[in-house]
Amino acid sequence: MAGSDQAVMVLIGLAVAIFVIYRIYIWLQSSPRSFMKDRVPINKDILPSPSIDVLEAAGYEVIGGKLKIPLSFKVDGTSMYSRLFIDYVACKEEDRFYLVILSRPRKTLELTGSGLRDALLPYLLIYPECSGVLYVNTVTSVIHEIKLGKDDGESN
């Protein structure tokens, strides 16, 4: 009797452990800041560009091509749609990756606090695990590494 009781207890313990692990997995999948859900998708189709040479010369490896991020908004019951574009995804070290945005002649980035906030904050909020944004000026071949920080309130 004691041997069969132990076997039943082991099976019950195993079932409970599997159930708990499964529930934790489901919780991680559904949480808004889930590390499993918010990963940047990698587009393996990388179109050649002189900007890739600029990034590689600076020590970055381009690991992903152009991404289109669809957005949906509800305003007073009416759906509105838009999208954001990422030109490349690059990494410098294995655990640090960056979203790459190339400069556009008709859409220049204003390198001020408010200009950076307006242009880049959506990218950094959608993918908070990225190390930052690399803004590549395609005319001057200059790379700006932009990271999001939090103001401590001292810069009034």
Side-chain angles (χ1 to χ4, degrees):
M1 266 299 191
S4 63
D5 288 343
Q6 287 179 339
V8 169
M9 292 304 291
V10 167
L11 286 176
I12 290 173
L14 186 62
V16 168
I18 290 172
F19 177 76
V20 168
I21 291 170
Y22 173 75
R23 292 305 302 164
I24 289 172
Y25 175 78
I26 295 298
W27 174 73
L28 286 173
Q29 286 288 321
S30 65
S31 71
R33 299 280 311 233
S34 168
F35 67 89
M36 295 179 177
K37 195 167 150 183
D38 292 336
R39 294 272 184 228
V40 174
I42 302 296
N43 177 3
K44 296 294 182 187
D45 185 23
I46 302 171
L47 300 176
S49 163
S51 298
I52 293 177
D53 297 332
V54 171
L55 288 163
E56 288 175 346
Y60 296 97
E61 177 188 358
V62 176
I63 58 171
K66 189 175 216 56
L67 294 171
K68 181 170 58 170
I69 304 165
L71 302 172
S72 173
F73 303 93
K74 280 265 194 205
V75 179
D76 298 328
T78 302
S79 295
M80 296 184 185
Y81 303 95
S82 186
R83 56 197 170 278
L84 291 172
F85 292 97
I86 297 171
D87 292 300
Y88 297 105
V89 177
C91 67
K92 191 151 194 165
E93 296 163 7
E94 196 169 308
D95 59 340
R96 288 184 13 193
F97 72 92
Y98 298 86
L99 309 175
V100 179
I101 308 295
L102 303 180
S103 67
R104 305 272 190 283
R106 294 186 306 163
K107 190 178 178 188
T108 59
L109 178 65
E110 192 177 317
L111 290 174
T112 63
S114 60
L116 294 172
R117 176 200 63 215
D118 294 345
L120 302 179
L121 188 61
Y123 298 101
L124 298 169
L125 291 177
I126 290 172
Y127 299 113
E129 75 280 356
C130 75
S131 296
V133 171
L134 299 176
Y135 181 77
V136 181
N137 186 321
T138 56
V139 176
T140 62
S141 298
V142 173
I143 300 171
H144 298 282
E145 183 179 315
I146 303 163
K147 296 180 179 185
L148 178 64
K150 187 174 179 186
D151 186 7
D152 59 5
E154 297 294 321
S155 63
N156 294 340

